[in-house]
């Protein structure tokens, strides 16, 4: 899901993610934090890209809402913003528990470098969940002869 | 080519009682404009004199205000041709001056400049929080400023196109 109040910016984020070839994305878009909350479906969302400065609910408030949802708080949130100060970035990590931070303007290489590991991690978690459970040792065969049922059945 | 300076005058950072925009703002704005627009458009040069009359002709302004240790505003002024060139470089596709997307892009360009500037100011101990951008476009207009405001105009050039950054700081009453 890509959330930014600028339509051009949303297109740029989606285009750059496609060019970075870190995953095959199917995008969902929202123009504000509140619109995104309304559209949000945890079962259909693998990763969220959100702008910080938006009218109404901003990116930090949106991220905090998602982190408060027990069924959705595992979804990675990438903050894409022009806020470049170290203190502000740290605040975003601390207060909104975002997964990673990309500053505008960004390049395809920067997106690949920062978002690539997040996607890899996501894939590993998915593989772990999808892998079949290790086979349990077969239970020992019932003892023959001498048991209660053997005696009963003759 | 402008080379940004490493020594920054951080004191006094409070503009009250001064008749000029605090040096730290001017220096950090120049650095932020050069850094951010070089990344978007290629080499950016600082120009000493007003290269064109920015009050006339078609242009678009992006405005962001700041609160914190200093209360001030920044206006990115892009003449018609400069706006189209920068929008194309930023978005990666052509955006006509009169389209709705132009306002979107100029707002975003102003946002990028303001974000880099906030980071620069933070690095020298000046805390600031920025507003959302406002965009105005048209012909033969200029933003009117109250007499209680101090303004400073900074001129730049990239890819043979000019642009201006105007700083507006409150004067002590």
């Amino acid at each position: 899901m890509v959330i930014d109040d600028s339509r051009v910016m949303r297109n740029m984020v989606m285009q750059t993610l496609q060019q970075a070839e870190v995953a095959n994305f199917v995008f969902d878009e929202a123009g504000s934090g509140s619109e995104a909350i309304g559209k949000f479906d945890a079962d259909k969302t693998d990763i969220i890209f959100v702008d910080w400065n938006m009218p109404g609910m901003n990116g930090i408030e949106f991220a905090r809402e998602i982190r408060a949802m027990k069924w959705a708080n595992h979804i990675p949130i990438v903050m894409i913003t022009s806020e470049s100060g170290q203190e502000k970035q740290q605040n975003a990590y601390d207060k909104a528990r975002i997964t990673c931070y990309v500053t505008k303007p960004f390049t395809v290489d920067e997106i690949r470098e920062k978002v690539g590991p997040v996607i890899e991690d996501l894939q590993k978690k998915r593989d772990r969940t999808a892998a079949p459970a290790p086979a349990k040792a077969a239970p020992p065969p019932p003892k023959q002869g001498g048991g209660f049922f053997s005696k009963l059945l003759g | 080519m402008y080379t940004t300076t490493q020594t920054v005058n951080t004191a006094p950072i409070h503009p009250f009682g001064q008749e000029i925009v605090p040096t730290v703002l001017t220096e950090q704005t120049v650095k932020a404009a050069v850094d951010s627009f070089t990344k978007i458009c290629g080499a950016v040069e600082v120009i000493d004199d007003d290269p064109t009359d920015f009050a006339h002709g078609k242009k678009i302004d992006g405005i962001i205000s700041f609160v914190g240790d200093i209360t001030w505003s920044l206006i990115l002024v892009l003449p018609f041709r400069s706006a189209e060139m920068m929008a194309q470089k930023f978005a990666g596709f052509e955006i006509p001056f009169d389209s709705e997307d132009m306002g979107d892009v100029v707002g975003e360009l102003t946002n990028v400049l303001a974000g880099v500037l906030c980071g620069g100011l933070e690095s020298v101990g000046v805390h600031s929080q920025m507003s959302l951008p406002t965009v105005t476009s048209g012909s033969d207009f200029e933003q009117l400023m109250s007499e209680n405001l101090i303004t400073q105009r900074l001129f730049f050039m990239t890819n043979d196109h000019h642009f201006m950054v105007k700083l507006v700081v409150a004067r002590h009453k």
Side-chain angles (χ1 to χ4, degrees):
Chain A
M1 182 178 248
V2 179
I3 310 156
D4 198 305
D5 56 319
S6 158
R7 192 174 68 90
V8 173
M9 208 60 227
R10 289 200 301 275
N11 286 338
M12 282 173 64
V13 170
M14 293 188 286
Q15 196 181 330
T16 312
L17 282 166
Q18 299 283 30
Q19 288 170 351
E21 295 180 333
V22 286
N24 290 321
F25 291 101
V26 176
F27 294 107
D28 195 4
E29 297 176 52
S32 69
S34 46
E35 187 193 339
I37 289 288
K39 276 186 170 181
F40 179 69
D41 181 345
D43 294 333
K44 291 180 183 168
T45 309
D46 294 315
I47 185 166
I48 298 167
F49 298 90
V50 63
D51 182 26
W52 183 325
N53 295 312
M54 292 184 288
M57 181 187 281
N58 66 31
I60 293 288
E61 289 163 342
F62 169 81
R64 292 178 79 166
E65 288 265 338
I66 296 296
R67 291 297 180 240
M69 298 175 185
K70 280 184 183 168
W71 62 93
N73 63 12
H74 61 282
I75 296 174
I77 299 177
V78 180
M79 184 145 278
I80 298 187
T81 176
S82 54
E83 295 274 6
S84 61
Q86 290 296 320
E87 206 175 294
K88 282 178 181 151
Q89 289 190 22
Q90 197 53 53
N91 264 341
Y93 283 111
D94 296 343
K95 291 183 180 168
R97 287 160 45 215
I98 61 154
T99 315
C100 91
Y101 199 100
V102 177
T103 48
K104 298 175 194 172
F106 47 79
T107 62
V108 174
D109 288 341
E110 282 167 353
I111 287 280
R112 193 179 293 125
E113 188 187 311
K114 293 200 169 171
V115 179
V118 179
I119 301 283
E120 275 173 31
D121 195 41
L122 198 63
Q123 194 60 49
K124 277 181 199 163
K125 279 181 189 162
R126 187 168 293 171
D127 290 346
R128 237 177 280 141
T129 317
K136 287 179 185 170
K143 286 178 185 171
Q144 297 294 318
F148 171 76
F149 287 104
S150 304
K151 284 176 185 171
L152 188 70
L153 295 171
Chain B
M1 171 64 67
Y2 177 82
T3 310
T4 51
T5 174
Q6 295 300 309
T7 52
V8 178
N9 178 12
T10 56
I13 58 167
H14 210 276
F16 293 162
Q18 293 182 40
E19 292 298 305
I20 56 160
V21 170
T23 314
V24 67
L25 273 193
T26 317
E27 286 183 345
Q28 289 298 321
T29 304
V30 169
K31 188 177 185 307
V34 171
D35 289 352
S36 52
F37 292 121
T38 295
K39 201 170 174 187
I40 295 166
C41 305
V44 173
E45 209 178 326
V46 178
I47 295 167
D48 290 333
D49 301 317
D50 186 346
T52 59
D53 184 358
F54 277 91
H56 296 104
K58 273 169 108 175
K59 66 187 175 79
I60 185 161
D61 290 3
I63 308 161
I64 285 189
S65 297
F66 301 81
V67 290
D69 293 338
I70 306 173
T71 302
W72 59 291
S73 296
L74 168 156
I75 307 171
L76 173 66
V77 184
L78 301 177
F80 162 56
R81 295 279 177 213
S82 306
E84 288 198 331
M85 181 277 292
M86 288 168 100
Q88 199 268 331
K89 294 270 185 190
F90 183 63
F93 50 90
E94 274 187 31
I95 298 176
F97 184 83
D98 294 318
S99 76
E100 206 177 294
D101 285 345
M102 180 56 81
D104 220 17
V105 172
V106 172
E108 210 50 60
L109 287 169
T110 316
N111 220 11
V112 167
L113 171 62
V116 173
L117 182 47
C118 272
L121 287 170
E122 184 192 297
S123 70
V124 293
V126 180
H127 297 276
S128 53
Q129 208 177 336
M130 63 197 218
S131 72
L132 291 168
T134 308
V135 176
T136 314
S137 74
S139 295
D140 304 331
F141 74 95
E142 195 166 9
Q143 307 287 344
L144 291 176
M145 299 298 161
S146 147
E147 283 182 3
N148 289 324
L149 299 171
I150 309 162
T151 62
Q152 183 162 355
R153 302 193 303 167
L154 304 164
F155 301 103
F156 302 87
M157 190 172 182
T158 177
N159 290 283
D160 292 330
H161 290 81
H162 302 109
F163 67 96
M164 175 172 79
V165 178
K166 199 169 179 178
L167 306 178
V168 184
V169 182
R171 177 181 285 143
H172 180 58
K173 285 181 183 176

